Amino acid sequence: MRFAHRVEPDSHFRLSDIDTNDHGPFSGKDDPEVARQLADDLARLGGLQERLYAEQRQALLVVLQAMDTGGKDGVLRRVVGPLDSRGVHVASFKAPSSDELAHDYLWRAHARAPRRGDIVFFNRSQYEDVLVVRVLDLVEKARLKRRYAHLVDFERMLADEGTRVIKIFLHISREEQKKRLQERLDDPTKRWKFELADLEMRQHWGAFQEAYEEALRKTSTTTAPWYVVPADRKWYRDVCVARLLVETLEDMNPQFPPGKLGDPSRIVIPD
Ligand code: AMP
Ligand code: MG
């Protein structure tokens, strides 16, 4: 069972074909199956993550991308938050510092890729360097065009060296973004999240959708696929992401290691 939409390599994938308001097989937020599904998957996720950490052989990198208000923080709180903080980390990428800008654009991302045994969630990522950078025209076109191949090669290298990579786009509609921005303005406990820059980015909505579409088409590979998660409904978004993480980790199939001591029955713990 899979809820997220996987972008097939070399496909003529169109973002507009995916319904941001999708709710899968569930009737709505209060469908008892929703809570059950999420609770089951969170429990599974906990067990799989512990095995990954104990095994210390493989790593998982999850790239999270979305438009502003798309729900990255919500996913991190509701799906990633319950996991054991030992072995699970979040790396957030803001506009690059002068030090970061003095390096190649993959430098800061590579530095935060997971160690063996760990899961790292990228809250924004190296993909901003073909998204916001493209929309705001921050580098020359020819230079930007070459980056898609770098991104694919970088991920292949990570995979060859033991790091599974999946990439998730939380897909919201323009109307839903308007609603969420308005909520941020109206609710004093959310107002701190509101930035005027978000309004400026919103003006580029169409250009961002095109930039996402091209990035997803050009960089979804069998080793490091992109998944589109319908995200207008926060509960469905969470269920989809949890399911995807479970399926990915089940496929990685981490195992508890045998232990370093040989036959444990030979060891006597002194009184
Ligand atoms: P937030 O996710 O709300 O904390 O915002 C982070 C901001 O950093 C967003 O406006 C991103 O567009 C911006 N950002 C992230 N990476 C880059 C990048 N490589 N170049 C320019 N801006 C970036
Ligand atoms: Mg923001």
Side-chain angles (χ1 to χ4, degrees), residues 57-234:
R57 278 188 55 236
Q58 322 173 64
L60 174 60
L61 171 60
V62 182
V63 167
L64 268 182
Q65 285 286 158
M67 298 292 288
D68 291 316
T69 75
K72 296 188 273 59
D73 296 316
V75 163
L76 291 171
R77 197 169 50 245
R78 307 223 328 131
V79 182
V80 180
L83 294 172
D84 190 342
S85 60
R86 187 188 51 166
V88 179
H89 306 281
V90 176
S92 296
F93 295 93
K94 308 276 180 188
S97 67
S98 56
D99 189 35
E100 287 167 345
L101 278 175
H103 291 83
D104 68 86
Y105 69 96
L106 286 176
W107 179 73
R108 66 175 185 166
H110 197 183
R112 305 190 73 176
R115 359 165 111 230
R116 278 175 232 295
D118 282 5
I119 305 176
V120 169
F121 290 83
F122 277 4
N123 180 356
R124 302 189 191 270
S125 67
Q126 64 276 20
Y127 279 92
E128 291 294 339
D129 291 279
V130 293
L131 294 166
V132 68
V133 167
R134 167 178 147 143
V135 171
L136 301 184
D137 230 352
L138 302 178
V139 305
E140 321 82 83
K141 292 230 158 32
R143 190 170 153 203
L144 186 105
K145 243 176 116 180
R146 293 193 290 268
R147 290 186 170 178
Y148 299 98
H150 304 156
L151 292 162
V152 168
D153 288 346
F154 172 59
E155 289 162 8
R156 186 176 336 110
M157 181 280 289
L158 290 178
D160 286 348
E161 295 291 322
T163 298
R164 178 72 73 98
V165 182
I166 62 167
K167 301 167 293 199
I168 299 175
F169 175 57
L170 304 175
H171 189 25
I172 58 165
S173 68
R174 190 174 185 165
E175 297 69 45
E176 181 66 19
Q177 187 191 57
K178 181 170 185 189
K179 209 177 100 199
R180 291 184 188 182
L181 285 170
Q182 190 64 52
E183 270 165 26
R184 286 185 180 181
L185 270 183
D186 296 344
D187 180 346
T189 69
K190 290 186 181 172
R191 207 166 291 152
W192 62 275
K193 294 197 239 179
F194 189 90
E195 291 181 83
L196 282 175
D198 294 346
L199 295 187
E200 196 206 318
M201 294 300 170
R202 182 170 162 79
Q203 293 192 315
H204 300 291
W205 182 275
F208 267 107
Q209 298 290 301
E210 281 170 27
Y212 267 108
E213 196 165 80
E214 183 158 0
L216 269 57
R217 277 185 189 164
K218 289 190 168 162
T219 65
S220 198
T221 61
T222 42
T223 31
W226 270 105
Y227 294 91
V228 180
V229 166
D232 280 357
R233 298 173 194 247
K234 296 175 179 174

Side-chain angles (χ1 to χ4, degrees), residues 241-254:
V241 172
R243 188 88 287 272
L244 189 54
L245 294 174
V246 167
E247 286 189 354
T248 304
L249 280 159
E250 278 178 350
D251 190 56
M252 291 168 75
N253 195 22

